[in-house]
Amino acid sequence: MHPSRIPALAFVADLVAVVVFAAIGRLSHAEADSVLGLLGTALPFALGVAAAWATPWVRSAPASLRAGAVVLAGAVVVGLVLRLGFLGRLPLSFAIVATISLAVLLLGWRGISAAVARMRAPRTPTR
């Protein structure tokens, strides 16, 4: 893969992770399966992802775990604040589940990517 494609693919992977998070949450609560409902649920967290991507920490190495931590922080903080603003409430249980779920998704794909890169790297003989 050409290195210039990595930022775009990483950004798309982050957005897909947020949409997957929202879809699983909506399914687990038997909410209507409309596309608008899904987008409405994902939007606050996607805005947090976009805010995190505006930082040099993410843009300099977008597939790194450090970038993932910044994206996670942006998605959680912005997403939960916007959700609180829109709904007027924010159950602690939701905040905890959202943080853990987004951590698994946003850090997970980066961890898998790093593991695959290590496995594909040429091995140097040791003496």
Side-chain angles (χ1 to χ4, degrees):
M1 174 183 315
H2 197 277
S4 66
R5 293 184 185 171
I6 292 173
L9 291 174
F11 182 69
V12 169
D14 285 341
L15 291 178
V16 167
V18 167
V19 171
V20 167
F21 157 73
I24 291 170
R26 291 181 63 80
L27 284 172
S28 69
H29 294 287
E31 293 181 349
D33 57 352
S34 71
V35 172
L36 287 178
L38 176 62
L39 293 177
T41 301
L43 183 61
F45 300 97
L47 291 174
V49 166
W53 269 85
T55 68
W57 302 293
V58 176
R59 289 192 323 268
S60 65
S64 70
L65 288 175
R66 184 181 90 178
V70 174
V71 172
L72 173 63
V76 168
V77 171
V78 173
L80 294 179
V81 167
L82 288 175
R83 190 166 166 91
L84 174 63
F86 289 138
L87 300 178
R89 61 183 167 74
L90 182 63
L92 179 60
S93 59
F94 175 78
I96 292 169
V97 169
T99 301
I100 292 170
S101 300
L102 286 168
V104 167
L105 293 166
L106 293 169
L107 298 175
W109 76 257
R110 287 174 168 88
I112 292 168
S113 173
V116 168
R118 276 193 303 274
M119 289 182 354
R120 294 186 70 190
R123 303 201 189 270
T124 57
T126 57
R127 291 185 170 192

